[in-house]
């Protein structure tokens, strides 16, 4: 395979910006499908939305992969969800892709999920091109969207096109590199016709080209000189410069059109192959496990540092690949792999470097949404699927000669919990299978059991996230479930440092238990990477080295349930400074129990506070409802951070506690006669006001007392 002719791209955007519609057109124009299906309306639903729930709701829930040919290029495309509740699908797709298309609505502009997707692209250093979609809509304003990209995303957008009309008058686009008008003829816009720029658009096109060249000249001395000396800069030179600046993530080329009206998609595909990186343009590094362990033993590296090696992108080197998505099916697990180096051959065995186990890869597939094609080999740079491999998302698989690990996928923390139980006793087994499957497929979906009540608790990124899984349990596993009230995932944290000195003594005939720990509990910063830090400052063997990890394990165990309402405790640092032991009665178990008791006592004295998830909320309402909506948000302890107004629509940005948002969809609907819409995503954890904290703690205590009484 010629890797220079391969592109691995994702299509990401805010919900309802037209990603899946755009993907459908890409499949059609590349010849992968021969009939266009729409996301909503009559017909079979969009090709990439193959789940029944996706077709019914008109939203993308799971990312879907396909491969298309465009001229002599091969393009692997992943269509990702726009809804923030399914953000892990975007996260793990971007982790393994080389480039991306950021789709923006020409009316909505840069919205809340656009900001999230932008952050994810920056986290994984993904070059991107932007596509301003829906130019056929009333109120379309591409210039405003480009300005928002500058202001809100902090990037340098370079418009390579100008629309010929907007709204109902959209006829085509002007290519500012070629300086030609492009029209899309035929029943589905399949024929791209080049023509001279209409006279009424000539001045606007000249001005837009001048602006494009001026922005590009900031990244090229040659272009700067050519502009100063009024020399021509060839079309090919411009393409090369745009590609270089895009790969360096200095600019974001902006293209325009309307996927729904079949305008502007083919030039976008040309831009994908022209400006976005091939696997060879991306430097990928892996952690060399053997070299890192050796360096740690020799004291050459700090505990959290690692030795890294660049990967070659060659199919002739030993395999290094990442399992980035798993789907549990009737006949075993389907795992999506991105191959960075080497190749995966059908029937060969490879090592999972996390577990150290060798696994045989029996069946390889090329995925096209839900359709599959058997293949015998997957080469470097490719994205394929393998059937029957038992592993987790983020695992690295290597062939002999390489013992590497690729950095795993960032997984945001769940913020909402529900209890679930089967309505019929004989359904318990089916519910268990469903929850285990979804937990393995989705790292943001967590399952636990409340030790006191025996209830099964599911946790996720939002109400829609959990609703979809509950609906899937009913449909796919024929298991009716009873669902408890949604509960906020509160956390607890100490508010003042405390010194502790705890001795654990127990005599029960024969050898007893003895452990003694002295130290201090200190507070970590809000933005600390880990919720807990342990510092061992024991000197002169006051506590033998083998007991230190046991004391640390005891401290950690005490953080699982805090003193206020048994929530996880975070932002805790512990320094162990002194202690004592007994030659006969001391043991690892004694020191673990001692650490647990010491931490429980210290947390009680550290004036613990309750932390609650705060959501970043974006509300769009007609201007006449702006006052009531902002007042309503303030009554929910919301903090309004920004309000803008355009074309009679007010956009309100706010930070609001999740606890106040459970029935917001219905509240907003009734306040705005159904004309308002909103989206929200997790922003941060923040301390709960004392009066609210007392209410929450009291409510949790009553619930616990009721459960105990029922038991």
């Amino acid at each position: 395979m010629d890797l220079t002719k391969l592109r691995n791209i994702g299509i990401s955007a805010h919900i309802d910006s037209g990603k899946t519609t755009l993907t459908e057109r890409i499949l059609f124009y590349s010849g992968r499908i021969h009939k266009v299906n729409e996301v909503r309306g009559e017909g079979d639903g969009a090709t990439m939305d193959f789940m029944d729930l996706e077709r019914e709701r008109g939203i993308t829930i799971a990312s879907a992969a396909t491969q298309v040919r465009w001229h002599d290029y091969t393009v692997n495309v992943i269509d990702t969800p726009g809804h923030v509740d399914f953000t892990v699908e975007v996260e793990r797709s971007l982790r393994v892709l080389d480039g991306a298309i950021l789709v923006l609505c020409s009316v909505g502009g840069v919205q809340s999920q656009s900001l999230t997707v932008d952050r994810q692209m920056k986290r994984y250093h993904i070059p991107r091109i932007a596509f301003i979609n829906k130019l056929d809509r009333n109120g379309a304003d591409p210039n405003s969207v480009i300005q928002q990209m500058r202001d809100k995303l902090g990037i340098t957008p370079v418009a390579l096109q100008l629309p010929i009309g907007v709204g109902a008058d959209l006829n085509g686009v002007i290519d500012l590199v070629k300086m030609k008008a492009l029209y899309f003829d035929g029943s589905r816009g399949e024929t791209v016709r080049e023509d001279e720029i209409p006279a009424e658009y000539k001045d606007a096109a000249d001005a837009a080209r001048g602006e494009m060249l001026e922005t590009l000249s900031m990244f090229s001395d040659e272009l700067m000189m050519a502009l100063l000396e009024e020399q021509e800069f060839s079309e090919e030179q411009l393409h090369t410069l745009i590609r270089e600046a895009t790969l360096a993530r200095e600019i974001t080329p902006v293209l325009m059109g309307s996927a729904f009206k079949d305008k502007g998609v083919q030039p976008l595909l040309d831009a994908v192959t022209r400006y976005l990186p091939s696997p060879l343009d991306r430097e990928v590094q892996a952690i060399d496990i053997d070299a890192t362990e050796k360096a740690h033993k020799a004291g050459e590296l700090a505990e959290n540092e690692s030795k890294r090696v660049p990967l070659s992108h060659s199919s002739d080197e030993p395999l290094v690949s990442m399992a980035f998505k798993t789907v549990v099916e009737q006949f075993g697990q389907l795992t999506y792999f991105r191959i960075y180096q080497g190749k995966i051959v059908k029937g060969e065995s490879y090592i999972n470097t996390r577990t150290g186990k060798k696994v045989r890869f029996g069946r390889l597939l090329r995925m096209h949404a839900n359709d599959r094609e058997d293949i015998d080999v997957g080469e470097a740079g490719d994205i394929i699927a393998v059937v029957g491999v038992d592993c987790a998302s983020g695992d690295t698989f290597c062939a002999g000669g390489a013992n590497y690990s690729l950095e795993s996928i960032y997984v945001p923390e769940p913020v909402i919990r529900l209890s679930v139980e089967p309505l019929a006793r004989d359904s318990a087994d089916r519910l268990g299978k469903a929850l285990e499957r979804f937990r393995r497929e989705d790292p943001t979906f967590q399952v636990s059991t409340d030790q006191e009540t025996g209830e099964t608790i599911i946790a996720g990124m939002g109400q829609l996230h959990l609703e979809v899984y509950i609906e899937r349990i009913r449909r796919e596993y024929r298991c009716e479930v009873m669902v408890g009230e949604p509960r906020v995932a509160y956390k607890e944290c100490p508010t003042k440092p405390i010194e502790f000195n705890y001795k654990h003594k127990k005599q029960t005939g024969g050898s007893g238990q003895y452990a003694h720990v002295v130290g201090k509990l200190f507070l970590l910063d809000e933005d600390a990477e880990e919720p807990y830090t342990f510092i061992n400052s024991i000197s002169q063997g006051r506590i033998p080295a083998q007991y230190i990890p046991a004391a640390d394990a005891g401290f950690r165990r005490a953080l699982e349930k805090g003193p206020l309402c048994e929530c996880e405790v975070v932002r805790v640092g512990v320094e162990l400074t002194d202690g004592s032991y007994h030659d006969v009665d001391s043991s690892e178990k004694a020191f673990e129990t001692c650490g647990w008791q010491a931490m429980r006592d210290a947390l009680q004295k550290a004036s613990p506070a309750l932390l609650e998830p705060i959501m970043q909320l974006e509300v769009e309402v007609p201007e006449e409802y702006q006052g009531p909506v902002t007042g309503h948000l303030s009554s929910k302890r919301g903090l309004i951070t920004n309000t803008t107004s355009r074309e009679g629509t007010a956009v309100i940005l706010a930070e609001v506690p999740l606890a106040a948002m459970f029935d917001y969809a219905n509240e907003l609907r009734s306040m705005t006669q159904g004309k308002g819409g909103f989206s929200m995503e997790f922003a941060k954890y923040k301390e709960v006001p004392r009066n609210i904290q007392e209410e929450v703690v009291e409510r949790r205590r009553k619930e616990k007392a009721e459960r105990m009484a029922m038991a």
Side-chain angles (χ1 to χ4, degrees):
M1 186 192 296
D2 180 1
L3 289 186
T4 60
K5 301 284 188 184
L6 177 65
R7 298 289 181 271
N8 292 312
I9 64 157
I11 300 181
S12 303
H14 183 86
I15 190 168
D16 236 10
S17 297
K19 297 176 304 305
T20 304
T21 303
L22 174 63
T23 310
E24 193 77 4
R25 299 309 186 274
I26 288 173
L27 297 180
F28 177 71
Y29 295 129
S30 63
R32 174 49 97 165
I33 58 173
H34 303 291
K35 171 177 173 271
V36 172
N37 289 312
E38 301 302 351
V39 174
R40 295 185 176 88
E42 297 299 313
D44 300 328
T47 306
M48 301 298 267
D49 285 352
F50 54 82
M51 283 167 57
D52 290 342
L53 266 174
E54 292 180 313
R55 291 179 171 177
E56 284 168 26
R57 290 177 180 243
I59 60 170
T60 302
I61 290 169
S63 54
T66 189
Q67 188 181 82
V68 300
R69 298 279 301 168
W70 184 247
H71 304 316
D72 54 347
Y73 285 84
T74 300
V75 185
N76 286 317
V77 183
I78 295 184
D79 174 30
T80 62
H83 204 288
V84 69
D85 284 24
F86 309 108
T87 191
V88 76
E89 291 286 339
V90 187
E91 194 78 44
R92 58 184 168 195
S93 300
L94 289 176
R95 168 66 185 83
V96 299
L97 293 170
D98 300 319
I101 300 172
L102 175 64
V103 184
L104 297 162
C105 172
S106 62
V107 180
V110 174
Q111 295 162 284
S112 60
Q113 187 64 3
S114 318
L115 295 166
T116 305
V117 167
D118 173 67
R119 276 200 305 276
Q120 291 168 321
M121 289 178 182
K122 286 172 180 167
R123 181 181 295 132
Y124 298 117
H125 313 296
I126 302 285
R128 91 285 287 267
I129 53 182
F131 182 67
I132 299 178
N133 194 20
K134 301 192 175 185
L135 282 175
D136 58 304
R137 279 184 59 186
N138 288 335
D141 186 350
N143 292 331
S144 167
V145 179
I146 289 170
Q147 190 57 47
Q148 287 177 49
M149 289 171 73
R150 275 192 203 98
D151 298 342
K152 293 185 178 182
L153 302 182
I155 58 179
T156 305
V158 177
L160 305 184
Q161 293 177 342
L162 200 64
I164 302 174
V166 289
D169 301 326
L170 178 67
N171 289 318
V173 294
I174 295 167
D175 184 329
L176 298 175
V177 177
K178 279 186 176 180
M179 286 304 275
K180 292 282 185 186
L182 305 179
Y183 299 97
F184 303 90
D185 299 337
S187 60
R188 298 247 52 144
E190 57 268 37
T191 307
V192 182
R193 173 167 56 88
E194 253 183 42
D195 213 332
E196 293 306 312
I197 297 169
E200 65 269 32
Y201 286 97
K202 195 81 180 72
D203 290 346
D206 287 338
R209 180 178 165 92
E211 197 177 315
M212 175 189 78
L213 293 174
E214 196 178 316
T215 307
L216 289 172
S217 70
M218 289 161 30
F219 308 102
S220 165
D221 294 340
E222 283 178 54
L223 178 57
M224 180 82 77
M225 291 303 295
L227 290 176
L228 289 172
E229 293 169 10
E230 296 185 358
Q231 292 176 346
E232 272 303 304
F233 205 73
S234 75
E235 193 181 308
E236 207 45 57
Q237 283 175 298
L238 270 180
H239 286 317
T240 303
L241 171 54
I242 294 166
R243 177 177 169 77
E244 286 171 358
T246 305
L247 296 190
R249 302 195 329 280
E250 288 170 332
I251 66 164
T252 298
V254 180
L255 292 98
M256 305 180 189
S258 165
F260 185 65
K261 293 291 183 183
D262 309 311
K263 290 180 168 59
V265 179
Q266 296 97 318
L268 177 65
L269 274 167
D270 289 334
V272 165
T273 56
R274 208 172 260 150
Y275 307 133
L276 287 183
S278 74
L280 296 175
D281 297 313
R282 302 266 293 153
E283 186 184 316
V284 179
Q285 293 195 331
I287 296 165
D288 187 327
I289 297 170
D290 296 338
T292 300
E293 283 178 7
K294 195 174 172 185
H296 281 159
K297 280 178 186 170
E300 294 168 5
L301 279 182
E303 195 68 29
N304 58 348
E305 291 180 337
S306 50
K307 290 262 187 190
R308 294 169 182 274
V309 288
L311 300 180
S312 71
H313 304 294
S314 163
S315 293
D316 301 325
E317 297 285 330
L319 172 75
V320 182
S321 63
M322 173 180 265
F324 69 93
K325 176 177 162 117
T326 62
V327 182
V328 180
E329 299 187 315
Q330 191 179 353
F331 303 110
Q333 183 168 297
L334 181 74
T335 307
Y336 288 79
F337 279 89
R338 163 70 198 262
I339 307 170
Y340 288 98
Q341 176 181 291
K343 57 189 170 191
I344 292 176
V345 180
K346 180 180 173 181
E348 293 289 316
S349 294
Y350 302 101
I351 296 162
N352 181 337
T353 57
R354 178 178 62 86
T355 63
K357 289 182 180 172
K358 213 167 194 186
V359 184
R360 184 176 178 274
F361 286 29
R363 188 180 175 206
L364 313 186
L365 300 172
R366 166 93 51 227
M367 297 301 292
H368 170 52
N370 204 29
D371 296 332
R372 48 199 71 188
E373 163 198 339
D374 280 279
I375 57 173
D376 294 325
V377 65
E379 297 190 37
D382 210 349
I383 291 173
I384 65 166
V386 183
V387 178
V389 173
D390 188 10
C391 66
S393 290
D395 281 357
T396 304
F397 280 80
C398 295
N403 187 17
Y404 297 156
S405 170
L406 292 157
E407 274 191 14
S408 200
I409 299 153
Y410 170 78
V411 178
E413 287 215 21
V415 293
I416 183 171
R417 291 192 169 99
L418 290 174
S419 64
V420 289
E421 57 179 288
L423 279 179
R425 281 191 175 178
D426 59 358
S427 301
D429 190 40
R430 288 203 294 275
L431 176 63
K433 282 180 180 169
L435 295 179
E436 175 58 19
R437 171 194 167 180
F438 298 145
R439 185 190 64 75
R440 288 179 63 172
E441 288 183 2
D442 182 352
T444 58
F445 179 76
Q446 294 183 3
V447 183
S448 60
T449 304
D450 188 305
Q451 296 299 327
E452 288 171 9
T453 63
E455 284 181 318
T456 300
I457 308 293
I458 58 173
M461 299 304 296
Q463 271 178 291
L464 178 64
H465 189 207
L466 297 184
E467 271 173 28
V468 162
Y469 278 122
I470 287 160
E471 189 60 32
R472 287 183 67 186
I473 289 166
R474 287 181 177 134
R475 291 183 185 203
E476 295 172 31
Y477 288 85
R478 298 188 308 285
C479 174
E480 287 299 322
V481 290
M482 194 159 65
V483 180
E485 286 292 305
R487 290 170 66 131
V488 175
Y490 288 107
K491 293 188 177 184
E492 299 177 29
C493 76
T495 58
K496 63 181 184 184
I498 289 290
E499 294 190 350
F500 58 83
N501 183 340
Y502 189 86
K503 198 172 280 186
H504 171 66
K505 287 170 79 172
K506 199 172 181 184
Q507 205 66 40
T508 53
S511 63
Q513 289 187 24
Y514 179 91
H516 177 206
V517 292
V518 179
K520 56 188 176 194
L521 178 155
F522 59 92
L523 316 181
L524 298 180
D525 292 338
E526 279 184 34
D527 53 359
E529 281 187 23
E530 296 295 328
Y532 167 75
T533 298
F534 175 69
I535 300 169
N536 176 17
S537 299
I538 294 289
S539 58
Q540 300 170 343
R542 302 284 293 172
I543 300 175
Q546 70 264 32
Y547 297 147
I548 305 292
D552 179 26
F555 295 144
R556 286 175 188 271
R557 185 155 66 92
L559 299 179
E560 290 170 10
K561 285 190 173 184
L564 285 176
C565 44
E566 300 185 340
C567 302
E568 181 194 357
V569 186
V570 295
R571 301 181 191 167
V572 177
V574 173
E575 184 177 7
L576 190 58
T577 57
D578 202 355
S580 61
Y581 70 102
H582 187 278
D583 288 334
V584 177
D585 292 347
S586 287
S587 64
E588 288 182 10
K589 186 177 188 309
F591 269 93
E592 186 184 340
T593 306
C594 185
W596 178 62
Q597 290 284 15
M599 177 60 82
R600 284 183 64 180
D601 287 1
L603 288 172
Q604 290 278 13
K605 296 169 187 168
S607 303
L610 210 55
L611 302 174
E612 64 180 343
I614 303 294
M615 309 304 281
Q616 176 72 49
L617 180 73
E618 182 178 290
V619 188
E620 288 190 28
V621 292
E623 276 180 344
E624 63 263 32
Y625 299 110
Q626 183 175 344
V629 169
T630 50
H632 184 240
L633 287 173
S634 298
S635 73
K636 289 177 171 289
R637 298 190 286 127
L639 175 69
I640 310 297
T641 54
N642 192 17
T643 54
T644 52
S645 188
R646 189 159 59 86
E647 300 286 334
T649 300
V651 180
I652 304 157
L653 292 180
E655 290 183 351
V656 193
L658 175 62
M661 296 303 292
F662 282 135
D663 200 34
Y664 191 64
N666 292 329
E667 291 170 359
L668 183 66
R669 209 173 288 129
S670 59
M671 254 191 304
T672 60
Q673 298 177 359
K675 295 173 186 169
F678 78 98
S679 65
M680 66 177 181
E681 64 169 315
F682 171 71
K684 61 190 173 191
Y685 268 91
K686 192 175 173 185
E687 205 169 306
V688 178
R690 281 286 162 179
N691 61 322
I692 306 284
Q693 176 172 312
E694 285 163 15
E695 285 174 26
V696 173
V697 171
E698 188 54 37
R699 190 166 67 244
R700 292 283 171 103
R701 277 187 187 143
K702 277 182 182 171
E703 285 172 8
K704 186 178 177 183
E706 284 168 13
R707 289 200 303 263
M708 301 282 275
M710 285 170 69

